[in-house]
Amino acid sequence: MKIKQSHEFHSSHRTGTLTNVSIDEVNKILGFPATEVPKGAGDGKVTVEWQFKATVPCDIPMAGPRDMPCAIWDYKGSLSFKQLSVWMPPEVGTRLFGANYTNEGQY
């Protein structure tokens, strides 16, 4: 799976959770550092985030791989409990984060 940092979109809702992970671990898995959200930006509830596109194979023959927008963020200090919110397809979350990823909603 290919991961490429992107800032072209904003996630609309949480589709899952990462648990027992640190900023450094997520940085290493994705291959780029988190973006720190300045105080007062947006609604003030997110402190760090990662936005990226993951290239995943397509189940449709001849269609080729798809670039899926994804995001991970700290919501209201959840990182202090080693928990992050995610917006990504389950196949991306499972492949990147294994048992630390839980799918909780529709992408």
Side-chain angles (χ1 to χ4, degrees), residues 34-91:
T35 300
E36 292 189 30
V37 179
K39 285 192 176 233
D43 60 8
K45 297 176 184 173
V46 175
T47 58
V48 295
E49 67 180 354
W50 296 260
Q51 291 186 9
F52 59 99
K53 289 184 180 177
T55 303
V56 297
C58 183
D59 293 336
I60 302 169
M62 306 291 286
R66 305 169 289 156
D67 284 336
M68 305 297 293
C70 303
I72 302 170
W73 65 95
D74 167 38
Y75 185 71
K76 291 185 175 181
S78 63
L79 188 58
S80 63
F81 301 104
K82 294 192 97 177
Q83 184 174 354
L84 293 164
S85 297
V86 302
W87 178 67
M88 65 182 64
E91 61 266 31

Side-chain angles (χ1 to χ4, degrees), residues 1 17-18 29 52 54 56 70 72 86-103:
M1 177 180 314
T17 303
L18 294 180
I29 289 168
F52 59 99
V56 297
C70 303
I72 302 170
V86 302
W87 178 67
M88 65 182 64
E91 61 266 31
V92 173
T94 301
R95 184 157 183 200
L96 291 176
F97 299 100
N100 297 97
Y101 166 77
T102 302
N103 178 29

